[in-house]
Amino acid sequence: MKGFQIFRRASTAIRNRATPSKLLIVLTFGAAGGAFLAISDDSPFRSLTAGESGNDGGKKKKLVVLGTGWGGTTFLKNLKTSAYDVHVVSPHNYFTFTPLLPSVTNGTVEARSIVEPIRNIVRNKPYNVEFKEAECYRIDPVNKKVYCRSIQNLGHGENEFALDYDVLVIAMGARVNTFNTPGVEEHAHFLKEVDDAQKLRRSIIDCYERASLPTISEEEKKRIMHFVVVGGGPTGVEYAAELHDFASQDLASLYPSLKDYLKITLLEAGNHILPMFHKKVTDFANEKFQKDQIDVKTGSMVVKVSDKDISTKNRATGQIEAIPYGVVLWSTGIATRPVIAEFMEKIGQAGRRVMAIDEWLKVQGCDDVYALGDCASIAQRKALEDAAAIMKTVDKNNAGAVDVGDFKEFVKDIYERYPQVRKYLEKNKLKNFEALLRNAQGDSQKKIDIEALKKALSEVDSQVSFLPPTAQVASQQGKYLAACFNKAGRCEKKPEGPFRFQENAGRYPFHPFSYKHSGQFAPLGGEQAAVQFPGDWVSIGHASQGLWYTVYASKLVTWRTKVLVVSDWFRRFTFGRDSSHL
Ligand SMILES: Cc1cc2nc3c(=O)[nH]c(=O)nc-3n(C[C@H](O)[C@H](O)[C@H](O)COP(=O)(O)OP(=O)(O)OC[C@H]3O[C@@H](n4cnc5c(N)ncnc54)[C@H](O)[C@@H]3O)c2cc1C
C-alpha cells in the first residue's frame, strides 16, 4: 500500500511540475533514467514562464487561432501575454510531430508517442484559452468572423458555429497536392496525419497476410507485394527506406515465403530524387537504394491511379506504362486548402498559388489577420520598388544625387528591410553596400543618382527567395509572432524595426521575421542518414543517423513524448517492430 502511495505521489508530481523537475523525478525513480539524460531540451516548446501581462483591467481582445500544427502550437506555447482571450480551432485536439510520421507507418514508433494533446500544451499559460475540435470552413474578413464545423456528428444545426475575432492567426497548414491526377484521392495513401500513417501500417500488413493465403495466384502475389512510392522528396525517400528496413529486418523472417516477391518502387517525375539536397546526398541515396533493390524511376510522371494499376508516363519517350501495385503512397508536395483559397479571393489574392503575407506575417490586404507555416508565403518586398523612396530619404537636400557615404546612416535599415541585399553581397563577394553602389555607378568619383541606385537594387532583387514549407519555418514563425504579440505594447511606444522608407518617417514596430536554417536530414535506412548543414556542409552515414536520433528526440514537444519515443526506439532495437494486423 505504502509503495503504491509513493508511486501515486510521484506520478502526480511528474504530471504537474515544471519540465526540468519532471526529469529529475523520472531520474530519481530510476525508470530507464540514463538513456533520457542524453536528450537536451533545446526545443522551441520549452515551458515558458509568465512574462509581460496585458491590460487585464480593460476588455480583452479575442484572438482566434486556426490550427494546432507546428505553426499554431509554437505560437500558443510562446504566447506570454494575458491581453487576449484565446480561442483555438482545429479538427485535431493534439499536436503531431510530423518528422516521425514515417516511423509510425512501420511501427518503429507508436502513433501516441508523437502526439501531445493541445490542452496539455496550453494549460498553465497566462492567457484564457478555449479549444474547439472543429474545422474552419469559411473566413469572413469584413465581419471578422470564422465559420466552423464540429467534427463530432451532433445532428442537424448543431455541428456548425461562428466565432468573432479581433485578431486572427491562420496556421492551417496545407493539403496534399494530387495535381488532379485521376484516381489518386480514391486509391492512394497519403502521409500527412497520424491517421494516414496508421492506415498505411495496416495496409502493408494486410498485403503480407493476403499474399500468404493459399488461394492467391502467383501473379496476384507479385502485384500485392509491390509497394510504390510516388515522389522523391524527403518524405517519399524516407518512407521507401523505412519500408525496406521493416521488410528486410522484421517481415522477411516472419513471412519467409514472401521474401522474394517483395518489390519497392520509387517514382519521381523530375530528374533526381532529393532535389533540394547536395548532389553528394542524391548520389549516395541512389547507390544505397540500388543496393537495397529499391527501384528508383526518375522522369516518371504518374498520370492515373486505378485500384490495381498505377499508370506512368516516361517524360523522355512519352511512353505510358501500367504498373500493378499492392499499396501506393502519394507524396508529391502540398497545395492550398479550399477554405484558404476562398479567403484569398475575398481579400484580392485570387490567382496566387499561396496566400501572401508580409515580412511581419500579416496577411496582405487584410487587417488583424496573420498567417504562418505551410498555408502562407512571405512576399518579400522588392528593393527596386522602393528605390525612389530610399533616394528621397537619403537625399535630404533634394540635390538629385548623393555621395556614397550618405547611405551610411540607413545601411542597417536597408539590410534589415531588404535581406536580399546582404545575400547578394555575400554571393558576389562584395564588401558592403557602398561597393555595390560604386559598381552600379561605374565611376567611383561620381555621385549616386536614382538610376545608379535602381541598377544596384534591381540586381539584388534576384536574390529574393521563398521559404520552404517545413516545420523549421513554421515553428520559427510561430515563435516570432508570439514574441511580437508579447511585446506589442512596448514596441508601439519604442519601435524596434527598420526605417519606413515608403513613408519617409518613423520605424516599423518590430524587426521583420528572419529565418535561420539549421540544416536538414534525409534518413536513408539501415541506420544511415544524410544531413546537410547551412553552407552546404554534408555528412552521410551512421554518425549522421546518431545525430538524427539526438536532434529529433530533443525537438519533441514535451518530456512525455520524448520519453515515449526514446522507449519506442529501445523497444524496436530489442524486440523488432510489431507486425500485428490491428
Ligand atoms: C511525413 C512528413 C514528414 C515531415 N518531416 C519534416 C522534417 O523532418 N523537418 C521539417 O522541417 N518539416 C517536415 N515536414 C513538414 C512539416 O510537417 C510542415 O512543414 C509543418 O507541419 C507545417 O506546419 P503548419 O503549422 O503550417 O501546418 P501543420 O503542421 O500541417 O498544421 C496544420 C494544422 O491545421 C489544422 N487544420 C487543418 N484544417 C483545418 C481547418 N479547416 N480549420 C482549422 N484547423 C485546421 C490541422 O489539424 C493542423 O493542426 C514533414 C511533413 C510530413 C507530412
Side-chain angles (χ1 to χ4, degrees), residues 67-71 90-92 98-99 136 171-173 191 373-374 469-472 474 552:
T68 52
W70 278 98
S90 174
H92 298 108
T98 49
C136 165
M172 282 158 65
L191 188 51
D374 287 1
T470 63
Q472 267 191 72
Y552 279 15

Side-chain angles (χ1 to χ4, degrees), residues 362-513:
K362 192 179 95 57
V363 174
Q364 287 192 341
C366 193
D367 283 335
D368 302 319
V369 183
Y370 298 84
L372 56 156
D374 287 1
C375 69
S377 175
I378 294 177
Q380 174 58 51
R381 178 93 183 161
K382 297 268 169 57
L384 182 61
E385 289 175 70
D386 291 344
I390 296 171
M391 194 67 191
K392 202 172 155 199
T393 308
V394 177
D395 184 9
K396 289 176 183 154
N397 301 326
N398 233 346
V402 291
D403 287 327
V404 171
D406 293 339
F407 282 89
K408 212 170 178 180
E409 187 188 340
F410 297 99
V411 163
K412 240 177 104 188
D413 296 296
I414 291 174
Y415 286 160
E416 192 173 18
R417 181 71 185 92
Y418 315 99
Q420 61 267 40
V421 174
R422 266 234 171 92
K423 279 196 217 162
Y424 183 86
L425 297 180
E426 272 164 30
K427 191 169 172 226
N428 291 281
K429 301 199 169 42
L430 289 168
K431 210 172 126 211
N432 50 29
F433 191 63
E434 286 183 14
L436 171 74
L437 292 174
R438 286 216 169 90
N439 271 5
Q441 186 63 290
D443 179 347
S444 61
Q445 302 307 312
K446 258 176 90 178
K447 290 196 167 217
I448 303 294
D449 58 16
I450 183 70
E451 290 314 315
L453 183 64
K454 276 186 180 168
K455 186 163 177 259
L457 296 183
S458 68
E459 283 168 16
V460 306
D461 283 339
S462 63
Q463 293 306 305
V464 170
S465 56
F466 296 102
L467 295 176
T470 63
Q472 267 191 72
V473 172
S475 61
Q476 287 185 28
Q477 290 182 335
K479 200 170 179 186
Y480 164 84
L481 194 62
C484 292
F485 275 62
N486 294 339
K487 61 190 175 184
R490 182 160 32 101
C491 289
E492 214 173 289
K493 287 183 207 127
K494 206 168 168 239
E496 63 178 24
F499 188 78
R500 288 175 179 268
F501 289 106
Q502 282 160 276
E503 291 85 6
N504 196 5
R507 294 191 161 271
Y508 290 95
F510 310 110
H511 296 295
F513 172 72

Side-chain angles (χ1 to χ4, degrees), residues 18 29 117 209 334 404 507 540:
F29 278 78
E209 289 303 343
I334 54 168
V404 171
R507 294 191 161 271
I540 305 170

